[in-house]
Amino acid sequence: MRSPLRRPPRPLAALAALTSALLIAGCSSGGDAGGSGTEEATAAFGEVLLQPATAPGPDPFTASTATATTVAAGTTAVARAPASPAPARGRALREVTGSTPGLYGGTRSVASCDVERQVALLTEDPAKTGAFAESSGVPESGIADWLRDLTPVLLRTDTRVTGHGYRAGEAAPFQAVLQAGTAVLVDGYGAPRVRCACGNPLRSPVDDKGAAHRGKPWRGYHPDRVVAVTPTTTVVGSLVIVNVADNTWIERRSGSDGEGDRDPDVVPPCDPAECDLVAAPSRRPPDAPAPPPTGPDGPDTPRDPAPPDTSVPPPGEAPSDPAPQEPEQPMEPPMEPPVEPLPEPPPGEQPPSDPDAPMDPGVPMGPDLGIPLPEELYPSGEGPRQPETYEG
């Protein structure tokens, strides 16, 4: 059972500070794949530290657990752009989702980090274990299992992160740009969580547009092409990465060391060497009018302009008499279906009348026409009694 770390007495505080300074100087003199040979201490507030792929950097948590051959291959595979001008301020970060195909690289069936060695180095010192757990947001008792669930890969583009150095028994956060080719451990949401060259925990960056960049840019670095990885909203079961050895696609199961690498079931639509993860944004000014909508066959054909309105004369001219307009032709009534004529009655017979048709009020009735009125046919009052039966 490991005994807890005891803090040094106050008289030894100066010695501890001196030892920390010597450790920083010693760990900053590693290979930098194009960067400076020495590296200053952790970036101060408002600064972004440029960290080359193989340099341990300031205040490392552990020794490097990255496989040197894999890092070298990844660095040469992505460093193709010319040297960039000095970094400028005020640039917004470009966000890329952690599950984007081609965001990470590696070698088929080869891990870019020794995860078991990383577990041993972190858990052998309780103080480092506690500082690492606090900065990573992981329970201290679950550090080993959490590290084993991460996926070792290589960055394929310069990536902005929040790094954490180990200083005076605590994790000191700082903003950094990791060079493409850096070996990292990625979590189940596609986000880089550990830098294998120094064992430092990583978190999402702080978008400080006014931060000054510190450090010598490496060949291929350009501030406009730095990305920030956005974690996915759900756990991903595998990552589609690029094989830096032969520039082909690999599907790596999350949490594996590459032993189950295989060809992806769904191949990305672009070649690994041609997929641009940080395409340049549109340079159309925000207040410029939007382009006209396009149809399936291209832009809409402009219509003929409407004829000018001649009803109002131009200034200085007298109005002319309007030209006589041709009268509009009356519209023909709609065609009605033909109606079959009724058969004519025989000579001497009157056509039958409709009993339900209303009586024409203009037709006279009465004795003038010899037609008895109703009251004449049915007089009021009781008439003479008639026999119940009669002949005829």
Side-chain angles (χ1 to χ4, degrees):
M1 179 176 181
R2 299 184 180 90
S3 60
L5 180 66
R6 297 179 181 178
R7 294 186 179 275
R10 291 185 181 275
L12 299 180
L15 179 60
L18 178 60
T19 304
S20 177
L22 294 176
L23 179 61
I24 292 172
C27 293
S28 301
S29 59
D32 56 7
S36 59
T38 60
E39 193 173 9
E40 301 178 13
T42 305
F45 178 78
E47 292 182 334
V48 178
L49 183 64
L50 302 181
Q51 291 194 279
T54 57
D59 304 329
F61 265 75
T62 66
S64 176
T65 59
T67 55
T69 54
T70 305
V71 174
T75 304
T76 56
V78 296
R80 297 173 298 174
S84 65
R89 300 186 180 188
R91 289 184 170 89
L93 293 178
R94 301 173 184 268
E95 296 182 350
V96 180
T97 307
S99 59
T100 302
L103 178 61
Y104 300 110
T107 303
R108 196 181 191 99
S109 302
V110 177
S112 57
C113 302
D114 188 343
V115 177
E116 290 301 324
R117 184 164 183 257
Q118 189 71 61
V119 171
L121 292 174
L122 274 176
T123 56
E124 69 180 3
D125 189 336
K128 287 185 179 180
T129 304
F132 186 95
E134 182 179 359
S135 58
S136 301
V138 180
E140 185 174 345
S141 59
I143 288 294
D145 293 336
W146 182 75
L147 288 172
R148 293 187 178 101
D149 287 338
L150 303 181
T151 308
V153 291
L154 299 175
L155 298 177
R156 293 193 67 244
T157 183
D158 297 340
T159 306
R160 176 80 173 270
V161 296
T162 296
H164 296 79
Y166 182 68
R167 185 191 307 170
E170 297 180 352
F174 62 94
Q175 298 301 302
V177 175
L178 306 183
Q179 183 186 13
T182 299
V184 294
L185 297 178
V186 177
D187 64 9
Y189 299 91
R193 300 304 305 273
V194 180
R195 185 170 182 258
C196 301
C198 56
N200 291 1
L202 305 175
R203 300 299 290 265
S204 298
V206 177
D207 189 2
D208 186 1
K209 299 180 182 179
H213 292 67
R214 183 162 57 82
K216 183 179 179 180
W218 45 81
R219 180 175 177 80
Y221 170 76
H222 199 286
D224 283 342
R225 298 188 67 81
V226 175
V227 303
V229 179
T230 303
T232 59
T233 57
T234 58
V235 176
V236 293
S238 61
L239 297 172
V240 178
I241 66 176
V242 175
N243 189 345
V244 297
D246 57 7
N247 207 38
T248 57
W249 292 109
I250 300 174
E251 183 172 348
R252 176 166 293 181
R253 181 172 50 85
S254 298
S256 70
D257 288 334
E259 66 278 2
D261 287 353
R262 60 187 181 88
D263 295 336
D265 295 332
V266 180
V267 179
C270 59
D271 186 80
E274 298 176 356
C275 289
D276 191 0
L277 301 176
V278 283
S282 174
R283 299 189 179 275
R284 183 172 62 88
D287 56 348
T294 57
D297 299 330
D300 296 338
T301 305
R303 300 180 180 179
D304 295 335
D309 186 7
T310 58
S311 59
V312 180
E317 295 185 7
S320 58
D321 296 336
Q325 298 181 357
E326 297 181 0
E328 297 182 357
Q329 298 293 334
M331 299 180 61
E332 297 182 359
M335 297 293 294
E336 296 183 357
V339 180
E340 297 182 1
L342 297 175
E344 296 183 359
E349 293 185 6
Q350 295 295 332
S353 59
D354 187 1
D356 297 333
M359 185 69 68
D360 188 358
V363 178
M365 297 181 60
D368 295 338
L369 296 179
I371 300 176
L373 296 175
E375 55 269 17
E376 296 179 355
L377 295 176
Y378 306 98
S380 60
E382 186 178 355
R385 297 178 59 89
Q386 300 292 335
E388 295 180 357
T389 58
Y390 55 91
E391 295 180 359

